């Protein structure tokens, strides 16, 4: 913290270590963090698909499961109908909420996936 090592250097005394001042080292760390954040954001955005559900669409809801608790169960429930769009990422679906007792549930778009019925399935 005071531009000195908190331990004795294992290198011989003839070798002088030039450490940057602590403020400069902190600024270097912040710059590298910002740089890698931008790289990770570009990598994420390259594969991100924005969910565009409309009122009346049928969707599947992703179940929450504890690790190794439901290995053979389907990861999705449904289909459920989208009742209304609350924001760009939250939707109200006609899935009953067991905690509040309401007939609808508000869910994030990352927990939803479009439903495709078997009657519309075709092989190319």
């Amino acid at each position: 913290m005071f531009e000195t090592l908190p331990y004795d250097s294992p290198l011989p005394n003839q070798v002088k270590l030039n450490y940057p001042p602590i403020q400069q080292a902190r600024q270097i760390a912040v710059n590298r963090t910002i740089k890698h954040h931008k790289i990770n954001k570009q990598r994420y955005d390259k594969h991100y698909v924005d969910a565009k559900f409309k009122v009346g669409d049928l969707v599947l809801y992703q179940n929450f499961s504890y690790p190794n608790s439901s290995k053979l169960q389907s990861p999705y429930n449904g289909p459920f109908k989208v009742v209304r769009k609350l924001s760009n990422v939250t939707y109200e679906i006609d899935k009953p909420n067991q905690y509040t007792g309401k007939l609808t549930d508000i869910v994030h778009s990352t927990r939803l996936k479009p439903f495709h019925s078997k009657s519309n399935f075709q092989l190319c």
Side-chain angles (χ1 to χ4, degrees), residues 46-108:
K46 185 189 299 184
H47 300 288
Y48 177 75
V49 177
D50 193 20
K52 300 280 186 187
F53 299 113
K54 295 177 274 202
V55 174
D57 284 353
L58 292 177
V59 294
L60 296 174
Y61 175 73
Q62 182 181 18
N63 296 327
F64 176 79
S65 60
Y66 292 101
N68 299 326
S69 64
S70 58
K71 195 185 323 189
L72 300 176
Q73 288 182 342
S74 173
Y76 290 94
N77 274 349
F80 299 105
K81 188 181 282 189
V82 175
V83 176
R84 65 183 171 142
K85 181 177 179 177
L86 301 174
S87 72
N88 288 337
V89 293
T90 54
Y91 295 89
E92 186 175 1
I93 61 174
D94 66 348
K95 175 186 170 296
N97 188 326
Q98 63 182 359
Y99 301 112
T100 62
K102 293 183 178 180
L103 297 176
T104 60
D105 197 7
I106 298 171
V107 295
H108 195 272

Side-chain angles (χ1 to χ4, degrees), residues 8-25:
D8 293 330
S9 175
L11 300 175
N13 289 339
Q14 292 85 8
V15 178
K16 294 279 186 175
L17 298 176
N18 294 325
Y19 291 104
I22 192 73
Q23 295 300 332
Q24 184 181 356

